[in-house]
Amino acid sequence: MKKSVIKTPISDFVEKYALSSAVRFHMPGHKGEDFTGSEIFDLTEIDGADSLYQASGIIAESEDNASEIFGCKTFYSTEGSSLAIRAMMRLIDLYAGLKGEKTTILAGRNAHSTFLSSAIAIGFKVEWIYPEKGNYLSCEITPRRLGKILSSSKKLPAALYITSPDYSGNIADIKGLAEICKKYGVILAVDNAHGAYLKFLTPSSHPIDLGADICVDSAHKTLPCLTGGAYLHISNDAPSVFAERAKNALALFGSTSPSYLILRSLDKLNAYLNDGFKDKLRKTVNAVSEIKRELSEKGYALIGSETLKITVDANGYGYTGKELNAILRSENIFSEFYDDKLLVLMISPENSDEDLIKLRNALLSIPRKTPIIDLSPDFYIPKKIMEIKEAAKKPSYIERVERSVGKVVSEAIVKCPPAVSVVVGGELVDEKVKDLLIKYGIEELILVK
Ligand SMILES: Cc1ncc(COP(=O)(O)O)c(C=O)c1O
């Protein structure tokens, strides 16, 4: 990437307008008056500001800049990867439909809840690949495993949908999976919500560079972008209908009032990413690797290979994730996620050296205790009674989990984070499912009557 060639047309427009003393007879109703500090830059699609879903001006120019950076066709979402996932699934369904096929998606069971809502909204069938070990947050799919599944399929799925990196920091062999997908003519779709920064590692390990056809990244999760900023990326080798219909697919589920605060943030990010970000990232990756090395030496077991996450197997160190989190909280350090077993910390180049030292010192000062052996199951495969989309249409009611045994789930209620479901629509609640739901803190279900 060359330095300083990336312009910031959205940001320039918004800043010029904000300083121009324009008289605002348009939305939003705050008229630029200061309520939270950000109103002055908060516009809508006024004259000259372009239109997100019919972009031909400053937004199109900014998306072209992002496309240049990511080396594919990149489209903005101001409603997170959640919107981009729905759009991605719509494009795959459209493509399958154009080929005269009914859409079935083969998906890792650790899919985010927006994948489930896409199945309801779009109506595709889902065939799950379940974790062989671990818990709901991870689902290892090796090329070998995928090859076996596809070679024994009576009818090939339209796409393989994987989550990589997953919430606990595991990364799939996307290059290997892409080769198998290509061999069988199956689209490879990746939820890369946690991995926008992978593009800037050397070499890049971004899914599109490794052979994925389509993927989503939450810019806001790992890059300095306001919450909600995300990308839908389409490989130059993907079916042409993906890029042709991407805007429509996003518009199908997105708000007609996109946030210009987020668009400006995505736009400014282009210039930032193009100007020394790789070096900054390299420095952070090295610092995190050093902290991980010290933690391992101290006796911590760490999970996953993702460079910017530290995922601690808390039980192995003698604690629950909740207890480790409480110790960090007492030092004013906030984690991304914790549960009985895990503690997940997300780092970015915007963390200062002092932040990292504080985290390192806090973790290293926690004494190691006898490991907690928790033999209760972390995962169970519920019995499928009907498709997700079918279950969602049935008459339904809300019930306490303890009173749900013997019933079929109509719509999953998913706790966020991590927004991964123990039981999904169309599956039977038996004693084991009930126990797991209680273990993971889910209290109510929407059941088929
Ligand atoms: C794996 C995964 N996919 C998708 C999403 C949705 O991303 P966003 O918050 O950008 O809508 C999340 C959110 O946490 C996630 O963890």
Side-chain angles (χ1 to χ4, degrees), residues 79-82 85 112 114 163 165 167 191 193-194 218 220-221 230 418:
E79 294 165 70
S81 286
S82 299
I85 288 172
H112 186 261
T114 33
T163 305
Y167 216 93
D191 173 351
H194 288 245
S218 297
H220 69 93
K221 289 197 199 300

Side-chain angles (χ1 to χ4, degrees), residues 328-398:
L328 294 184
R329 276 290 302 275
S330 70
E331 305 213 24
N332 208 19
I333 298 173
F334 283 71
S335 66
E336 164 61 27
F337 174 74
Y338 61 85
D339 65 9
D340 282 351
K341 299 198 167 180
L342 299 179
L343 175 74
V344 180
L345 301 147
M346 288 176 76
I347 298 124
S348 98
E350 310 317 310
N351 281 116
S352 65
D353 291 348
E354 291 73 42
D355 288 351
L356 294 183
I357 290 168
K358 202 169 172 197
L359 176 65
R360 168 200 176 273
N361 291 347
L363 287 171
L364 288 179
S365 66
I366 300 173
R368 190 177 176 183
K369 296 200 296 193
T370 313
I372 298 171
I373 314 282
D374 177 1
L375 295 177
S376 67
D378 288 326
F379 191 79
Y380 170 72
I381 302 178
K383 188 169 179 207
K384 179 174 170 178
I385 306 296
M386 61 185 93
E387 290 297 327
I388 293 175
K389 58 174 183 173
E390 231 182 286
K393 282 191 225 158
K394 299 272 182 204
S396 58
Y397 67 108
I398 297 177

Side-chain angles (χ1 to χ4, degrees), residues 120-255:
I120 296 174
I122 298 167
F124 54 80
K125 281 187 173 183
V126 181
E127 271 169 26
W128 293 112
I129 305 179
Y130 293 94
E132 288 178 317
K133 58 180 180 339
N135 58 25
Y136 287 92
L137 296 184
S138 50
C139 180
E140 192 184 8
I141 306 171
T142 60
R144 200 179 137 83
R145 191 173 176 204
L146 177 66
K148 271 194 193 161
I149 295 170
L150 293 182
S151 65
S152 59
S153 287
K154 285 198 198 93
K155 189 183 167 301
L156 285 170
L160 170 70
Y161 177 99
I162 60 163
T163 305
S164 174
D166 66 28
Y167 216 93
S168 44
N170 299 293
I171 296 196
D173 174 0
I174 293 183
K175 193 162 179 282
L177 293 174
E179 278 164 20
I180 305 288
C181 283
K182 290 228 157 49
K183 180 173 160 194
Y184 287 90
V186 168
I187 296 292
L188 177 56
V190 182
D191 173 351
N192 184 50
H194 288 245
Y197 75 95
L198 297 173
K199 176 72 194 174
F200 307 95
L201 295 176
T202 310
S204 158
S205 53
H206 191 269
I208 295 291
D209 292 325
L210 298 176
D213 294 289
I214 185 163
C215 82
V216 305
D217 305 353
S218 297
H220 69 93
K221 289 197 199 300
T222 59
L223 301 174
C225 181
L226 288 182
T227 296
Y231 307 112
L232 173 65
H233 299 295
I234 294 170
S235 160
N236 294 326
D237 300 327
S240 57
V241 70
F242 282 9
E244 283 159 19
R245 300 287 289 273
K247 283 283 179 190
N248 274 65
L250 287 157
L252 195 58
F253 301 104
S255 165

Side-chain angles (χ1 to χ4, degrees), residues 10-11 14-15 41 260-268:
I10 302 176
S11 183
V14 169
E15 281 163 29
F41 298 118
Y260 271 72
L261 296 176
I262 298 173
L263 286 173
R264 175 172 172 240
S265 181
L266 283 163
D267 182 52
K268 277 198 113 152

Side-chain angles (χ1 to χ4, degrees), residues 102-107 109 115-128 130 155 382-394 408-412 423-428 446 448:
K102 288 213 167 108
T103 310
T104 301
I105 307 292
L106 182 65
R109 181 56 184 248
F115 175 76
L116 302 177
S117 56
S118 307
I120 296 174
I122 298 167
F124 54 80
K125 281 187 173 183
V126 181
E127 271 169 26
W128 293 112
Y130 293 94
K155 189 183 167 301
K383 188 169 179 207
K384 179 174 170 178
I385 306 296
M386 61 185 93
E387 290 297 327
I388 293 175
K389 58 174 183 173
E390 231 182 286
K393 282 191 225 158
K394 299 272 182 204
V408 175
V409 173
S410 170
E411 242 181 88
V423 64
V424 305
E427 290 178 342
L428 182 71
I446 303 175
V448 172

